[in-house]
Amino acid sequence: MGGLSEKANTLNKIGNNTKGRLINVDAGNFLFKRKGQFSSESKEVITAKAIAEIYSLLGFDAVAVGGNDLSGGISLLLETVTLGVPLTSANIFDSEGKPVFEPFRRTQIGDLSIAIVGISDPESVVSKDFVIRKGTDVLVELLPELEDSCDLILLLAAMPLPATVELVGHFPQIDIAIAADNGQGNVTPFLSATSLLTQTGNRGRYQGVLSVTWNGKPWGNNTTSSLTDLKKRLKSVNLQLHQLQNIQGAAAISQKDKITPLKDSRAELSEQIMRLEEAQKTETGSSDVSTYKHHFLPLKNTGRVDPQIDNIIRDTKKQMAIANKK
């Protein structure tokens, strides 16, 4: 939860750098680390309520409902909506067949009209209180309507990556899809059918940034700029590792904890570079395509805190201490 303060700082920077031309989304599974059935007084629900309160401050345009998020029950999620978190799921229905959440959210950037659709994994939870229908069953009705009224459709798929790939293959209307696969880390954007598909690793270690120049389909693989940036970052990480690994004596012990995260970053950057170099082999070179650049920004502990978020975290720790005594 402490990483949410860094997330707030990073989102503020991105917003300033883009002059507000920003869509802030989360593909789900943000409230709980794992699936379960947690009582309202459990430590897990206390933490989830704090996360929801913090998310209400972060200016999200849409947040999908993942299987993990349902672990505190529908009532907790409806409370989260009341706080101001814009939850969306097109395929969760109550016992009367009515949508529990907004099926999609609309936003506007300049003249560009964007629909953000949430889909929850129908295999994630079984409950007598709600039904999760197959994504294909609801999207076949919803997407043609959105296609007529929007310039771009963004899917937030709170489901495994292979299932997301299969889903977007049925719907050429989907322009961008962001998955929430707990078994995957950062996934470099790749073309799946006619959609651009990606995801950021869970548990708040990174902030994914996808910069899009939208001209309508098809997508192009304009990777040169992204590759240059990634290689610069890899060079910087390698230099930091070299310096730390050459420290001797007692000072080396104090620096040990810094080495593992840097090694993780090196592996992550190397994998992204490899994927982009493969994608570059099929680059179209056309100026008529839509293009993109991406970054996975590590959410490092800089010591800067957001006062509101810091207060929420402090209050939550007090509540946790009281819960532990019971």
Side-chain angles (χ1 to χ4, degrees):
M1 196 165 54
L4 289 173
S5 199
E6 290 299 330
K7 188 178 185 73
N9 292 329
T10 300
L11 287 172
N12 284 335
K13 282 185 180 180
I14 295 169
N16 291 334
N17 291 339
T18 59
K19 298 180 179 179
R21 295 172 64 85
L22 170 70
I23 301 174
N24 185 16
V25 297
D26 190 302
N29 291 325
F30 68 105
L31 288 177
F32 297 93
K33 293 181 180 180
R34 58 185 175 87
K35 295 183 181 70
Q37 291 183 335
F38 304 121
S39 70
S40 59
E41 296 182 354
S42 66
K43 292 182 289 185
E44 288 85 357
V45 168
I46 291 172
T47 301
K49 287 183 176 181
I51 292 172
E53 188 175 355
I54 292 170
Y55 260 53
S56 72
L57 303 174
L58 295 182
F60 281 98
D61 293 284
V63 178
V65 178
N68 290 15
D69 302 320
L70 291 160
S71 297
I74 287 291
S75 59
L76 174 62
L77 290 173
L78 294 177
E79 184 180 333
T80 298
V81 173
T82 303
L83 284 172
V85 181
L87 295 182
T88 173
S89 177
N91 62 330
I92 298 182
F93 296 84
D94 65 18
S95 57
E96 297 179 355
K98 297 178 182 178
V100 177
F101 305 99
E102 292 287 340
F104 64 91
R105 299 275 177 167
R106 290 185 187 271
T107 190
Q108 193 87 15
I109 294 185
D111 295 330
L112 193 68
S113 175
I114 301 161
I116 309 170
V117 182
I119 287 291
S120 305
D121 183 6
E123 306 294 328
S124 61
V125 180
V126 176
S127 173
K128 62 180 181 181
D129 299 323
F130 58 87
V131 175
I132 306 180
R133 293 173 57 188
K134 289 184 179 180
T136 49
D137 292 347
V138 296
L139 291 180
V140 72
E141 300 173 3
L142 178 61
L143 291 184
E145 172 192 338
L146 293 179
E147 185 181 27
D148 291 339
S149 60
C150 296
D151 301 306
L152 186 148
I153 296 176
L154 167 61
L155 177 72
L156 302 179
M159 55 200 302
L161 191 62
T164 304
V165 169
E166 181 181 357
L167 184 64
V168 301
H170 293 290
F171 299 104
Q173 301 98 328
I174 298 171
D175 301 301
I176 302 172
I178 301 176
D181 187 335
N182 288 339
Q184 302 273 349
N186 294 333
V187 175
T188 302
F190 65 95
L191 294 179
S192 179
T194 57
S195 304
L196 184 67
L197 202 157
T198 185
Q199 83 158 35
T200 303
N202 64 345
R203 310 319 308 165
R205 292 178 60 195
Y206 290 90
Q207 175 64 49
V209 181
L210 183 66
S211 303
V212 171
T213 301
W214 181 247
N215 297 319
K217 289 191 177 70
W219 285 102
N221 295 325
N222 185 7
T223 59
T224 302
S225 177
S226 292
L227 270 173
T228 300
D229 178 67
L230 286 171
K231 288 178 178 179
K232 285 181 180 178
R233 289 166 58 195
L234 180 60
K235 184 177 180 180
S236 174
V237 168
N238 282 330
L239 179 59
Q240 292 177 67
L241 271 172
H242 177 75
Q243 291 172 339
L244 289 173
Q245 289 170 337
N246 280 282
I247 295 175
Q248 302 294 323
I253 298 174
S254 65
Q255 301 297 326
K256 189 176 180 180
D257 289 343
K258 297 181 180 180
I259 292 177
T260 298
L262 284 171
K263 285 184 175 180
D264 290 343
S265 294
R266 180 174 63 184
E268 183 73 41
L269 289 168
S270 297
E271 183 177 353
Q272 291 179 45
I273 289 169
M274 180 184 69
R275 288 181 181 176
L276 280 182
E277 286 176 340
E278 286 298 315
Q280 197 173 50
K281 295 176 183 177
T282 58
E283 190 165 313
T284 63
S286 171
S287 60
D288 298 327
V289 297
S290 299
T291 59
Y292 63 90
K293 296 187 293 183
H294 80 283
H295 309 283
F296 294 113
L297 303 176
L299 296 178
K300 299 178 180 178
N301 184 8
T302 60
R304 296 190 303 272
V305 296
D306 181 288
Q308 282 182 284
I309 293 175
D310 195 40
N311 284 335
I312 293 169
I313 293 173
R314 277 204 305 269
D315 289 343
T316 303
K317 288 180 179 179
K318 291 178 183 177
Q319 293 178 51
M320 297 277 278
I322 293 171
N324 286 334
K325 293 178 180 178
K326 291 182 179 179

